[in-house]
């Protein structure tokens, strides 16, 4: 397993639409392993393949306190959603920025697991927020898109400065 570099906002690669996985082969298994290691190392509670510049519909999530309950979602689909909830969100591609975002409170999703088995899942709370945030990544969408243009611009400038400072 290896730690993969994470793209930082406003990298245009984060806007790419990820394509569905047709076959769960060894390459996908390696990608999933690398993504899990990258997420835990960061540390973060979710990572989409888009963020490591692989434009396939693969997401890893772990919202457990002990960081020992990985959830792998391949070709995840939001089937149903209910209610509305506000939660603070952050993103490994937008470090040090946290904003309150309004999303559906409960979701029902279907996906394929690492072994290639289809499954369905009901989620609420942090898990629901995280899954929706990660599926957005696969569609080239970021949580800053839910903010006002003014706020988004401010974050963009902050990020550009952060990237510049890193390069120095
Ligand atoms: Ni994110």
């Amino acid at each position: 397993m290896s730690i993969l570099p994470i793209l930082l906002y406003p990298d245009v690669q984060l806007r790419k639409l990820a394509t569905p996985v047709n076959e769960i082969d060894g390459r996908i298994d390696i990608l999933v392993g690398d993504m899990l290691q990258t997420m835990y190392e960061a540390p973060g509670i979710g990572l989409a393949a888009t963020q490591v510049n692989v434009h396939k519909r693969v997401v890893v999530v772990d919202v457990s306190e002990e960081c020992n309950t990985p959830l792998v979602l391949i070709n995840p689909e939001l089937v149903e959603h209910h209610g509305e909830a506000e939660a603070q969100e952050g993103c490994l591609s937008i470090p040090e920025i946290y904003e309150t975002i309004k999303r559906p409170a409960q979701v029902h999703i279907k996906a394929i697991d690492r072994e290639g088995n289809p499954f369905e899942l009901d989620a609420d709370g942090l898990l629901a927020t995280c899954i929706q945030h990660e599926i957005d990544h696969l569609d080239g969408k970021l949580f800053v898109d839910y903010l006002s243009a003014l706020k988004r611009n401010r974050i963009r400038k902050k990020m550009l400065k952060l990237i510049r400072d890193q390069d120095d």
Side-chain angles (χ1 to χ4, degrees):
M1 287 198 287
S2 42
I3 293 165
L4 307 169
I6 297 173
L7 297 174
L8 294 177
Y9 177 72
D11 195 310
V12 292
Q13 297 300 315
L14 288 168
R15 296 304 188 180
K16 270 196 174 175
L17 180 69
T19 57
V21 174
N22 294 321
E23 197 190 341
I24 317 284
D25 55 13
R27 281 184 312 174
I28 294 296
D29 194 62
I30 289 170
L31 173 65
V32 167
D34 288 348
M35 283 175 62
L36 282 169
Q37 199 184 5
T38 304
M39 174 183 76
Y40 287 126
E41 174 71 22
I45 59 170
L47 186 70
T50 306
Q51 292 177 275
V52 293
N53 211 10
V54 176
H55 302 281
K56 292 271 170 206
R57 301 190 79 81
V58 178
V59 157
V60 295
V61 167
D62 190 343
V63 296
S64 72
E65 220 148 280
E66 300 80 14
C67 302
N68 60 2
T69 315
L71 178 65
V72 176
L73 306 174
I74 298 169
N75 299 343
E77 275 177 65
L78 196 64
V79 181
E80 252 180 77
H81 59 82
H82 301 283
E84 214 171 51
E86 282 191 330
Q88 204 174 56
E89 294 188 28
C91 181
L92 292 176
S93 294
I94 318 174
E96 291 166 42
I97 306 284
Y98 300 91
E99 294 287 345
T100 301
I101 308 292
K102 194 187 283 180
R103 295 185 188 268
Q106 292 112 27
V107 295
H108 182 79
I109 61 146
K110 57 179 188 179
I112 299 169
D113 70 14
R114 196 176 179 172
E115 281 75 45
N117 305 307
F119 67 100
E120 299 196 15
L121 179 73
D122 282 310
D124 60 11
L126 180 59
L127 182 60
T129 299
C130 191
I131 288 173
Q132 292 175 82
H133 175 121
E134 300 311 329
I135 292 177
D136 271 356
H137 273 302
L138 302 180
D139 294 326
K141 197 165 180 183
L142 297 157
F143 81 83
V144 293
D145 299 345
Y146 295 94
L147 305 172
S148 68
L150 190 76
K151 238 179 184 175
R152 188 164 51 252
N153 251 317
R154 209 156 53 209
I155 293 169
R156 193 171 185 276
K157 280 190 189 138
K158 231 184 211 173
M159 285 298 304
L160 288 172
K161 184 177 182 304
L162 189 100
I163 293 165
R164 252 198 331 269
D165 291 350
Q166 275 181 352
D167 289 342
D168 285 347

